[in-house]
Amino acid sequence: MNRLLRSVSSLTLAAGFAFASVSPVMAGASTFVGEMPNLTPDTPGLLASLSSRPDAARMARQASPAQNFVRVTGAVKNLSLMLLHDVRHEAHVKAAIQQYGFQKVQATVVSAIRLAQLEYGAQWGNMLAGIYTARFKADELHSIVREKESSPHFIKLLSEQDAIAAAVKENGHDIYAAARAQVMMQLDAAL
């Protein structure tokens, strides 16, 4: 399973997004490093909506094979990993680490990325599921999830890596750009 997760994680990370950051300024934000500002009026509604989501078992029964594959393999979390990879190289994040220390800045970055994952994770997951649906039959995805590296279809997954990475880069561009912009806005306000 570790190899499967590493392979699937590599697929999305291999897309290698290099987007320009969009950093709108937040007026009136007063925060300390390590604390996240109250950024939008929708944030409380977003967090409250989590408690009204259906339970995981019911969601799994209703999900398509590709959605289940994305969920089980954890591929949807690659949005967070890509954001972290991108954000950690930002000059003002590096400067904040020098000024406030790694622990405080880390908490701020993780909070911003978690909020972006909450807001954009479902769209990202649906985009990934669409890519896997276009390339794999349901029984192939079930086999890979069930049998992991022993699946006769695992080799197909490996052979499709470049095509999947290209599709993620193309189909996920707008989702990633919006998530990144949100993270950068929060970091600009908090750091």
Side-chain angles (χ1 to χ4, degrees), residues 106-120:
Q106 178 186 23
T108 303
V109 169
V110 167
S111 294
I113 290 174
R114 282 184 178 164
L115 283 174
Q117 180 71 39
L118 284 172
E119 187 162 336
Y120 296 99

Side-chain angles (χ1 to χ4, degrees), residues 88-179:
R88 69 184 178 142
H89 297 294
E90 288 290 322
H92 73 283
V93 172
K94 289 179 178 181
I97 291 171
Q98 291 292 325
Q99 183 175 358
Y100 303 112
F102 178 78
Q103 295 296 334
K104 287 185 179 182
V105 174
Q106 178 186 23
T108 303
V109 169
V110 167
S111 294
I113 290 174
R114 282 184 178 164
L115 283 174
Q117 180 71 39
L118 284 172
E119 187 162 336
Y120 296 99
Q123 291 175 41
W124 190 258
N126 289 335
M127 179 271 303
L128 290 173
I131 291 169
Y132 285 105
T133 297
R135 288 174 170 69
F136 295 91
K137 296 177 185 171
D139 62 320
E140 294 171 331
L141 293 172
H142 285 299
S143 173
I144 295 168
V145 166
R146 197 174 44 252
E147 300 172 46
K148 300 164 187 60
E149 296 167 0
S150 301
S151 168
H153 307 289
F154 189 76
I155 192 73
K156 181 178 178 181
L157 176 66
L158 295 177
S159 69
E160 290 282 335
Q161 283 189 14
D162 291 339
I164 291 170
V168 168
K169 186 173 184 178
E170 181 180 332
N171 299 347
H173 178 274
D174 292 342
I175 301 167
Y176 181 81

